[in-house]
């Protein structure tokens, strides 16, 4: 429908109908207005598979239509592969088409501020560049199928404890450099249909009522032209939400009359309400026209889930090259997760997987005959990790240890069998006081319904591991930069570590983690060389071309992730020692060399400055009391562009 027709519809709607359009019909649908031919559209979780339920249901543990369960974001982020995330989005978009879903509630791109956050499994990374690039690729994939993506949870929603009331208090620079850029990238490059306003407050103001961010930043500065939906139950003030630019309150509400009354007494401008209605109608008509309603074919989704899982597995340790295993070895698979893997997280993202393949199933299907008795085994593969009772949406963890039973199992198995391999299923980092004991450690994360096959492919060398950690694994919880201010006091969470989130802290503080961000081993070896820059100084309109040659110097084909970090000069502002700005995953045959090229712009060298400086990327930002010119300064020259390979 064209803008003029939308305008005609807005003029025909009564005040009551306009208010009604701004809240849900039920748990998942917008309201139809039949007399004007306005249809209802359906939203569904997301992000790593569809949770399609009837309008009256919102059951977190079941009841949804069976569908493909892809790897959770904690895992898929480890692929560092935009193409795979794009393919996942496309496949999900097709499934949405078949199942009548118009808007998929994902991607979830909140930054992993603390490894304790119960919902980290659903988020990509502690790094905004990685989270933004993968979230954009996924969103573009979904939207290529005529389905809307909904980027969530906007923003600074970094813990589950008091998630519906706590206030995330960080300075503007920290927000602009760490907690906002992933959203900014996706909004600007993928043009998502929708953004979900989070439960928490930002500096004392609920996200759903935060005009500075929902209108000032998102729409006026970044150019977002879709609609904003509240997280489910996140709206506390319907009138305040409309004024701020939060268009649709979900799920169903009995408070539409508050909007009508506010317009009638002049507390709310009808033009503000019209803006929200217009944005909702634009999407309703755009999405409704695109439905096809065909049968879902799960087979391609399963194969894609398997591919993503195998590219996401991170090999953390491989002493004496104990991996890959050979089929002639006697191998025992130990632990309940070998039969019944933990392959996804709990809460609103929980998918009713159409099938799940365990590692034992996969080994059997591949004709690998496993021994039952560890005493008869050359190699013991121990499947352990976190259970759903230990991490989920809705609560945070209180420590990073595995259960005492799992830790004991590692100790005892390693004491008994010198060739022990640990396979981990977990949605976020764990401490490993036992790290020296097993020969190999395989981080399989929550890898979706095909994880069993992916793990067996990696264990037996059919797939060469190529995942890289999208987050730091600290030696101990107290090393994490948010440790002293997580989960806040009396509902106020001060982001005291500022821009030193994740690896930015560890590298700057020179604090060795257990396993660093970006780390992962392979069965082959890569050599990086000939780093070249096309200039040694640049001004604000220049770009810098960087290239590096990468050679596979090992014996097998494999993939590596070239990671480009910028190391700023020391100046008047204290900055992280290095920051990821570009990455590319490449595959190389043995002996093959490829040149990887990147282009860096001013923004890649920039930090957010709260003082007026010559170069801006922030433009005018409206604060509650004053207008401040927020600018971006760029170091006049760069001392070093660091390429770092784990
Ligand atoms: C979650 C969202 C989800 C919504 C609908 C909320 O509790 O925070 O991520 O999309 O429920 O299930």
């Amino acid at each position: 429908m064209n803008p003029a027709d939308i305008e005609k519809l807005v003029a025909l709607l009564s005040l009551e109908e306009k208010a009604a359009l701004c809240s849900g019909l039920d748990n998942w649908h917008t309201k139809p207005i039949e007399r004007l031919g306005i249809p209802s559209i359906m939203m569904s979780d997301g992000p790593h598979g569809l949770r399609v339920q009837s309008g009256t249901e919102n059951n977190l543990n079941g009841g949804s239509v069976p569908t493909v369960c892809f790897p959770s974001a904690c895992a898929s982020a480890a692929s560092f592969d935009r193409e795979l995330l794009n393919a996942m989005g496309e496949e999900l978009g097709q499934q949405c088409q078949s199942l009548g879903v118009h808007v998929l509630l994902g991607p979830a791109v909140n930054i992993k501020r603390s490894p304790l956050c119960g919902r980290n499994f659903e988020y990509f990374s502690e790094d905004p560049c990685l989270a933004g690039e993968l979230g954009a690729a996924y969103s573009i994939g979904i939207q290529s199928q005529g389905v809307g993506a909904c980027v969530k949870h906007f923003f600074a929603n970094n813990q589950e404890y008091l998630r519906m009331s706590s206030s995330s208090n960080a300075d503007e620079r920290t927000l602009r450099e760490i907690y906002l850029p992933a959203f900014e990238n996706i909004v600007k490059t993928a043009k998502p249909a929708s953004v979900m306003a989070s439960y928490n407050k930002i500096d004392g103001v609920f996200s759903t009522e935060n005009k500075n961010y929902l209108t000032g930043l998102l729409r006026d500065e970044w150019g977002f032209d879709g609609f904003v939906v509240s997280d489910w139950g996140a709206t506390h003030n319907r009138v305040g939400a409309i004024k701020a630019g939060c268009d649709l309150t979900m799920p169903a509400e009995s408070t539409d009359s508050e909007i009508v009354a506010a317009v009638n007494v002049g507390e709310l401008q009808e033009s503000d309400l019209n803006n929200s209605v217009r944005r909702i109608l634009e999407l309703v008509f755009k999405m409704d026209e695109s439905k096809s309603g065909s049968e879902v074919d799960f087979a391609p989704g399963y194969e894609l889930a398997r591919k993503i899982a195998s590219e996401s597995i991170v090999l953390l340790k491989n002493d004496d090259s104990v991996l890959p295993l050979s089929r002639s070895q006697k191998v025992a698979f130990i632990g309940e997760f070998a039969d019944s893997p933990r392959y996804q997280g709990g809460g609103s993202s929980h998918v009713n997987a159409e099938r799940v393949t365990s590692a034992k199933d996969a080994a059997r299907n591949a004709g690998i005959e496993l021994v039952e008795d560890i005493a008869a085994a050359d190699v013991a593969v121990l499947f352990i990790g976190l259970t759903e009772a230990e991490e989920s949406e809705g609560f945070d963890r209180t420590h990073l240890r595995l259960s005492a039973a799992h830790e004991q199992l590692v100790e005892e198995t390693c004491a008994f069998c010198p060739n022990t391999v640990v396979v981990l299923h977990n949605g976020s980092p764990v401490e490993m006081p036992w790290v020296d004991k097993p020969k190999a450690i395989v981080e399989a994360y929550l890898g979706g319904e095909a994880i069993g096959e992916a793990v067996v492919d990696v264990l037996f060398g059919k797939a060469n591991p190529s995942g890289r950690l999208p987050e730091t694994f600290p030696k101990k919880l107290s090393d994490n930069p948010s440790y002293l201010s997580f989960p806040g006091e009396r509902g106020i969470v001060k982001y005291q570590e500022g821009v030193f989130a994740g690896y930015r802290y560890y590298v700057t503080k020179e604090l060795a983690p257990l396993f660093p961000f970006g780390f992962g081993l392979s069965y082959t070896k890569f050599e990086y060389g000939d780093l070249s820059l096309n200039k040694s100084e640049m001004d604000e309109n220049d770009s810098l071309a960087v290239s590096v040659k990468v050679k596979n110097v090992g014996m097998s084909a494999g993939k590596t992730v070239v990671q480009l970090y910028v190391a700023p000069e020391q100046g008047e502002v204290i900055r992280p020692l290095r920051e990821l700005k570009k990455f590319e995953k490449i595959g190389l045959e043995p002996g093959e060399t490829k040149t990887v090229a990147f282009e860096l712009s001013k923004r890649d060298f920039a930090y957010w400055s709260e003082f007026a400086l010559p170069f801006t990327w922030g433009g005018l930002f409206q604060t509650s009391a004053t207008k401040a010119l927020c600018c971006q300064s760029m170091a006049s020259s760069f001392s070093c562009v660091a390429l770092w390979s784990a």
Side-chain angles (χ1 to χ4, degrees), residues 190-253:
K191 308 221 171 298
S194 178
V195 167
M196 186 187 289
S198 57
Y199 284 127
N200 54 293
K201 297 175 189 150
I202 313 280
D203 212 4
V205 182
F206 276 113
S207 299
T208 48
E209 292 167 45
N210 209 315
K211 189 169 183 178
N212 282 345
Y213 291 108
L214 291 186
T215 297
L217 181 74
L218 191 59
R219 294 199 164 95
D220 297 345
E221 193 182 315
W222 294 350
F224 174 65
D225 63 359
F227 76 85
V228 173
V229 59
S230 73
D231 199 344
W232 270 227
T235 303
H236 300 263
N237 174 342
R238 290 292 304 283
V239 175
I242 297 288
K243 280 186 184 170
C246 179
D247 308 307
L248 175 64
T249 281
M250 286 299 289
E253 275 275 344

Side-chain angles (χ1 to χ4, degrees), residues 27-28 44-47 51 58 60 105 108 119 122 152-153 157 160 163 196 199 231-232 348-349 393:
N27 278 310
W28 307 114
S44 179
D45 286 307
R51 186 170 71 98
N58 187 359
L60 301 183
L105 302 175
R119 218 172 171 180
E122 212 179 321
K152 64 190 188 181
H153 309 86
N157 181 187
E160 291 299 280
R163 70 170 174 168
M196 186 187 289
Y199 284 127
D231 199 344
W232 270 227
S348 61
S349 66
E393 177 179 347

Side-chain angles (χ1 to χ4, degrees), residues 105 121 191 205 268 283 325 340 373 381 463 468 566 569 615 642:
L105 302 175
F121 72 87
K191 308 221 171 298
V205 182
L268 175 66
L283 194 89
L325 304 174
S340 164
D373 182 2
V381 184
R468 300 288 185 268
V566 166
E569 279 188 326
F615 310 119

